[in-house]
Amino acid sequence: DFVEAWCDMFSPMPAMKEIFERVEERHVVGLLSDTDALHWAKAKEILPWLRRIEKPTLSFEAGFVKPSREIYLRAAQNCGRAPENCLFIDDSEINVDGARDVGMAGLAFTSPERLARDLTKLGII
């Protein structure tokens, strides 16, 4: 009961799987999440396409959380890229600013539709 209540925040967001797949066709996709082991297991169950991310950066494994400099550098390393060759997307402007502070490009997530437009403008999809 506890696990179900703790992980009740996850649900598929329309269009996100499609955006992920479009980006994945041409680019390495990483994941940086301030999460715990229970949330990560539930997220992969509800969003099975997340399992395709080779080396996700998870705060409970890394020992750092956003917006610490170390977590962004670890995420870039896990993608095999320099930070200046990474685009970080998050729904928190503080976290986007943290990514920018290490040299990443950053986008604030507000909706799948806006994200698709932004990624199209950048030539990512």
Side-chain angles (χ1 to χ4, degrees), residues 25-42:
E25 287 175 7
R26 298 174 47 200
H27 303 280
V28 173
V29 176
L31 176 81
L32 170 52
S33 181
D34 286 341
T35 191
D36 60 47
L38 294 174
H39 284 153
W40 179 237
K42 190 65 163 179

Side-chain angles (χ1 to χ4, degrees), residues 46-91:
I46 293 171
L47 309 167
W49 45 273
L50 289 178
R51 295 182 197 140
R52 298 197 314 247
I53 298 170
E54 267 187 59
K55 207 169 180 184
T57 305
L58 308 169
S59 59
F60 76 95
E61 293 176 344
F64 303 102
V65 296
K66 298 177 271 183
S68 71
R69 180 176 185 78
E70 295 84 1
I71 197 84
Y72 299 104
L73 297 175
R74 177 85 49 93
Q77 180 181 32
N78 284 348
C79 290
R81 301 290 186 268
E84 41 294 333
N85 294 322
C86 295
L87 170 64
F88 178 78
I89 303 162
D90 198 279
D91 61 354

